[in-house]
Amino acid sequence: MFELAWPWCFLLFALPWLWRKAEPDRQLDAPLIAIAQRYRAAGLGSVSAQQPGRQRKGLFFWLIWTLLILAAMRPQHIGEAVTLPVSGRDLLLAVDISPSMKEQDMIIGNFAATRLEAVKRVVGDFIDQRKGDRVGLILFGSEPYIQAPLTFDGKTVIQLLHEAQLGMAGKSTSIGDAIGLAVKRLRNRPAQSRVLILLTDGANTSGEVQPLKAAELAASQGIRIYTVGIGAEEMIQRGFFGATRVNPSRDLDEAMLKQLAEMTGGQYFRARNTPELEMIYETMNRLEPVEQDIKTWRPSSELYYWPLAFAFVLFGLAALKPLVKRLFALSRNRGRPGE
């Protein structure tokens, strides 16, 4: 449907009439009265009958003024009502992008994939399901940084996650600093539900804040931390002397990740493969369900530029008319013989 955002602007329509009543143009009216008297004396009728162009100009002015008033009233097209589930939950994802995440011990569609590729796929699906939550993204290596602030725009967060590259945050792993940055971002948010999901494949090897100290601070702010340790426990490596079994997750500090979760009322999960990682995020959806408080809104699009554009077009035509007449007259004079 259509509606006017500022309908009171219709009152401006009377401004030219009020201005003319308050300040009559006597300098213009006096010559017109004298000319009218001469025409009557000569029996040529009234001046108004001899000046149809003056009436057309008046109508042209009022048409432009009407279009301007219509634009000022801001006509809008109001779309169909859209419903949004809103939970008020603030959920931050902290993803390890240190070089160790390039280990190809995950399987996606029967093909070997890096740990980061598996995370992008599974976490992207998880974000897409969190309709109504504010979701943010922290990427960390040697240093943590906010890749996406808390937002309802999950599609943008997914896109920014897929743009993450291995090693772009440094070569070591600063778990404590990542938790500290998350606490800084979440502590000023409403206290209904503050959640941090931290995913890593290693141990804390750098940073200014120790992970357990950061977890204490998170607990004091009512922030729950869910930790996810990613990486296979067994992998076949083929070399010059044959195949050997290795543990690609030997650097994973599970004891520390479990303690971080316990201190904050969260939970620790172990993802040895892609299906396990998918199950973990399904479990998180049950542990932190999306509430179904509904808010409705109607998208609106502005239409004021249409009458405004027509008004400018008409004004331009009116301004160009004398110039066109003059050029036409000059062309006629030049075409006369003997000139």
Side-chain angles (χ1 to χ4, degrees), residues 18 33 38 47 70 84 139-140 160 162 174 192 195 214 234 280 297 309-310 325 331:
L18 294 174
I33 293 172
R38 292 176 185 175
V47 176
L70 180 60
L84 291 176
L139 301 178
F140 68 95
L160 293 172
H162 283 289
S174 56
Q192 290 91 339
V195 178
E234 187 177 275
I280 288 169
W297 66 287
F310 282 124
K325 284 185 175 181
S331 64

Side-chain angles (χ1 to χ4, degrees), residues 10 43 60 111-112 119 193 224 290 338:
F10 180 77
F60 201 71
F111 293 97
V119 168
S193 187
R224 286 190 299 279
V290 176

